[in-house]
Every structure is written in C-alpha cells, then in structure tokens.
Amino acid sequence: MDCIFCKKIEEKKECLFENELAFAFFDGFPVNKGHTLIIPKRHVKTFFDLTKEEVAAMKELADKVKEYLDKEYHPDGYNVGLNCGEAAGQTVMHCHMHIIPRYVGDIENPRGGVRNIIKGISLY
Ligand code: AMP
Ligand code: ZN
C-alpha cells in the first residue's frame, strides 16, 4: 500500500517516540514550532476506526510528546486535533493526531481554538 505514514513506520524514519501500537514524529509542514503527529501503527483511516488499545497507546505517546515539547519549546498551551474524513479536511488517509503547541501572541486572538475551524459554516 502506498501510504507515506506507513512508510515512516516501516523505515523508523524521523521517529520521536514509539510504543507497540503507535508512533510519533514531527509534522513535515509545521503550523507552529513543535507541531507533532501521533499515528497508530496499523493503517486505519480515522480515529473512529481505532481500538481502545490503540487510543491508549496514542495517549501514552501524547503525554510523552507534551513532556518533550514543554522542555524543548516551553509552549503556553496546545491544540490537539484529528481531522476525520475529506469533508473535515483530512489529506493523509492514515489516522493521525495533531499536537500543536501554542504560544501567547502567536495569533492576535486565540479565543475559540479548534472551534474556529467552523467559523465559516457557523449556523449561529
Ligand atoms: P491532515 O490535513 O489532518 O490530513 O494532516 C496531514 C498532515 O500531515 C499535515 O499537517 C501535513 O503537514 C503532514 N504531512 C504531509 N506529508 C508529510 C510528510 N511526508 N512527513 C511529515 N508530515 C507530513
Ligand atoms: Zn498508512
């Protein structure tokens, strides 16, 4: 199968942390300093395809990634997100969790965080 994320796992390329079921690496096109992705080792499309064990493995890596990023970059907060399906903006069809460090002043008004995604289609 031609999947860029499966290839990273196979080649153990750019691995930041891994455990039996999950793998973490820096995003190749970071939206902020330290932007990291956590993926299941099994090729599934979205969060909703994960087993409980894979979710737990990804959470374990999320905690390690946070500890690492806190030490290296001292962010002031985080956005954690999963795009599930093309309509939601997913471009790589191997499930991945975005861990995006946030810094005071990185945008003028951060209020709303991930909720800002749907501002353009807000019904209210
Ligand atoms: P999404 O739009 O949620 O599917 O996110 C895909 C993410 O994968 C984006 O943040 C991209 O910057 C990132 N990405 C795409 N190709 C690569 C790559 N070869 N290595 C690392 N990250 C990548
Ligand atoms: Zn894959």
Side-chain angles (χ1 to χ4, degrees):
M1 190 201 310
D2 205 19
C3 169
I4 51 171
F5 287 179
C6 281
K7 211 165 277 168
K8 277 188 206 288
I9 296 166
E10 267 168 42
E11 297 171 3
K12 285 196 180 292
K13 231 168 125 183
E14 300 150 39
C15 178
L16 188 57
F17 295 107
E18 68 174 321
N19 56 26
E20 194 192 339
L21 298 177
F23 189 90
F25 55 98
F26 284 121
D27 195 290
F29 307 90
V31 297
N32 226 350
K33 206 167 55 179
H35 181 178
T36 300
L37 299 177
I38 298 173
I39 62 176
K41 286 189 173 172
R42 189 169 65 99
H43 181 96
V44 293
K45 183 173 173 183
T46 82
F47 174 74
F48 300 105
D49 301 313
L50 297 171
T51 63
K52 283 202 278 281
E53 291 76 17
E54 285 166 333
V55 172
M58 289 171 70
K59 168 71 165 109
E60 182 182 283
L61 292 195
D63 291 342
K64 284 191 177 168
V65 164
K66 180 189 182 297
E67 196 183 329
Y68 175 82
L69 295 174
D70 281 348
K71 212 159 77 190
E72 287 295 311
Y73 300 114
H74 309 287
D76 302 296
Y78 286 91
N79 291 118
V80 175
L82 295 119
N83 294 331
C84 301
E86 290 89 336
Q90 184 173 2
T91 59
V92 177
M93 298 306 149
H94 183 134
C95 172
H96 49 280
M97 177 189 286
H98 292 266
I99 306 280
I100 303 176
R102 296 299 304 272
Y103 304 90
V104 169
D106 60 4
I107 62 169
E108 200 176 312
N109 180 11
R111 186 181 161 83
V114 296
R115 281 193 284 120
N116 291 326
I117 295 160
I118 56 166
K119 238 181 198 160
I121 59 162
S122 176
L123 297 175
Y124 304 103

